[in-house]
Amino acid sequence: MQYTQDALARAKNVKMLILDVDGVLTDGSIAVGDNGELFKTFNVRDGLGITLAQKLGIKTAIITGRESKMLAYRARELKINAFYQNKKNKVPAYRELLAEYQLKDEDVAYIGDDLFDLAVMKRVGFPATVADATEEAKSVSILISDFAGGKGAVRQIIEFILKAQEKWQAVIDSYLNIEDETDAKEVEKNISQ
């Protein structure tokens, strides 16, 4: 992934990561069952990246234009700090997050991929996108993942932020030292320290 020194400098300031869903956490596909239920597929590497970011002090939020019980379940499972559904205009939710968490624009990273994301992406300090995003989303992004939405892009961007903040090597070292189940539980517990 190519990046500039400006992207590296801005990543150091990130205190909150806001995510879009369709096309970012998923590949943008929606499967519809016989009874009208919707199905989406999420990438486990993205999930681990979100969990690591949280354990290392980065707050997380989701602002999505659609509503989904499955997404609500996934957000709870990942312990997302703030969750907004059915928000075609994402700016009011973004402003709420800034106020609630006492953040400035430069403290926030946003990963989006399409037109609904542009208004927030142009405000945050660290706008990022996925490889298969619209040209408009790419044009306002400071970092573009090598991966498509739902295919590990979120994880790659989170790793970039954690590396810029000099937190990634401690994560790697913790996982390299796992010998047994007790060690694995200890790594999960201590990763936030």
Side-chain angles (χ1 to χ4, degrees):
M1 178 170 53
Q2 295 180 354
Y3 62 90
T4 65
Q5 288 302 312
D6 186 36
L8 196 59
R10 290 191 197 193
K12 292 177 183 181
N13 297 325
V14 172
K15 296 176 183 161
M16 174 172 269
L17 172 64
I18 304 173
L19 302 161
D20 177 41
V21 177
D22 296 321
V24 173
L25 283 172
T26 74
D27 67 3
S29 299
I30 299 172
V32 181
D34 291 340
N35 297 319
E37 66 274 21
L38 302 178
F39 300 95
K40 299 179 185 197
T41 304
F42 299 95
N43 187 296
V44 295
R45 289 187 187 129
D46 289 344
L48 178 58
I50 291 166
T51 299
L52 292 171
Q54 292 167 328
K55 289 184 180 221
L56 293 169
I58 296 174
K59 300 291 184 197
T60 56
I62 288 174
I63 306 175
T64 182
R66 298 184 60 87
E67 191 163 346
S68 162
K69 290 180 185 176
M70 186 179 8
L71 174 58
Y73 174 83
R74 183 68 172 150
R76 282 191 306 276
E77 182 181 51
L78 291 173
K79 297 178 176 64
I80 299 294
N81 298 103
F83 179 58
Y84 298 85
Q85 292 194 84
N86 205 22
K87 300 290 181 188
K88 301 293 187 226
N89 178 358
K90 297 181 179 190
V91 174
Y94 172 66
R95 287 185 181 142
E96 283 180 31
L97 289 169
L98 290 179
E100 181 177 343
Y101 290 94
Q102 300 177 359
L103 298 169
K104 299 175 187 156
D105 291 331
E106 58 265 24
D107 300 329
V108 181
Y110 184 95
I111 306 175
D113 72 310
D114 210 341
L115 303 179
F116 287 120
D117 302 308
L118 296 177
V120 175
M121 291 176 80
K122 73 177 188 177
R123 287 170 169 79
V124 300
F126 192 88
T129 196
V130 299
D132 58 340
T134 64
E135 289 305 315
E136 293 81 6
K138 288 179 179 179
S139 73
V140 298
S141 293
I142 193 163
L143 189 69
I144 301 170
S145 174
D146 295 327
F147 301 104
K151 305 294 184 192
V154 169
R155 170 69 174 269
Q156 186 182 39
I157 293 166
I158 288 171
E159 283 186 24
F160 179 87
I161 292 167
L162 294 176
K163 287 174 184 176
Q165 295 180 359
E166 299 181 0
K167 296 177 180 178
W168 186 249
Q169 190 57 50
V171 171
I172 299 304
D173 292 345
S174 297
Y175 281 96
L176 285 172
N177 293 319
I178 292 176
E179 295 290 333
D180 56 33
E181 193 61 33
T182 303
D183 288 345
K185 289 178 183 175
E186 198 64 25
V187 165
E188 290 303 312
K189 185 176 110 183
N190 293 329
I191 200 80
S192 62
Q193 297 177 355

